[in-house]
Amino acid sequence: AMSHKGDSVEESTSEFGGGVNWYPLTRPSKVYKMIPFGTFQFLMGSTETTFSPGSQSGSGDPESLNAGTVGFIVGGGLKYYTPKGYGIKFNFDLYTRGDSFAADAQSIKWVKTKSGPRLNLGFLYRF
């Protein structure tokens, strides 16, 4: 992100996690049939945010803060496969992530949250 004075914020995040899918109406191996599913995922990781002041904001060194992240994804969607293994997937989910930052230069700890809906469309191949 960049401001009109040349300030910039750069974020580098690494996440890992796991989850489960639930197929309430049919087996996930069906072909020529829409396969509805639900999903739940848990994510955790770390992030580093670096603020660099621009030339119009005055001088200053870049400041970096590290945070631990925790997130959840809850949603559902549809899959469709052909007998040759090709398929398409559509899902809609709600994503929530909280970043708990270490104390900054003024000894202030803060939490940044991100949340909202996500819509995904993908092409699949099943071996």
Side-chain angles (χ1 to χ4, degrees):
M2 226 171 154
S3 77
H4 68 282
K5 292 186 177 186
D7 300 343
S8 67
V9 176
E10 194 173 312
E11 184 174 84
S12 175
T13 302
S14 296
E15 287 182 322
F16 64 93
V20 294
N21 288 336
W22 176 52
Y23 298 91
L25 302 176
T26 188
R27 294 190 319 254
S29 59
K30 290 284 190 180
V31 296
Y32 291 137
K33 182 173 172 104
M34 296 301 265
I35 306 167
F37 67 94
T39 187
F40 174 79
Q41 298 174 33
F42 173 77
L43 309 165
M44 58 190 306
S46 63
T47 188
E48 179 183 33
T49 300
T50 303
F51 170 77
S52 300
S55 60
Q56 296 177 3
S57 294
S59 63
D61 293 330
E63 183 178 352
S64 293
L65 293 174
N66 294 314
T69 66
V70 174
F72 297 95
I73 298 172
V74 177
L78 295 170
K79 292 182 184 180
Y80 181 86
Y81 284 105
T82 66
K84 294 192 180 229
Y86 295 101
I88 191 166
K89 177 182 176 182
F90 164 80
N91 67 301
F92 176 80
D93 55 40
L94 299 174
Y95 174 81
T96 300
R97 184 178 107 189
D99 300 345
S100 298
F101 284 88
D104 61 10
Q106 290 81 30
S107 299
I108 298 172
K109 293 181 180 180
W110 51 283
V111 175
K112 178 174 70 172
T113 59
K114 298 177 182 181
S115 63
R118 297 191 311 181
L119 184 63
N120 297 303
L121 176 66
F123 297 100
L124 308 170
Y125 182 73
R126 181 168 43 196
F127 296 96

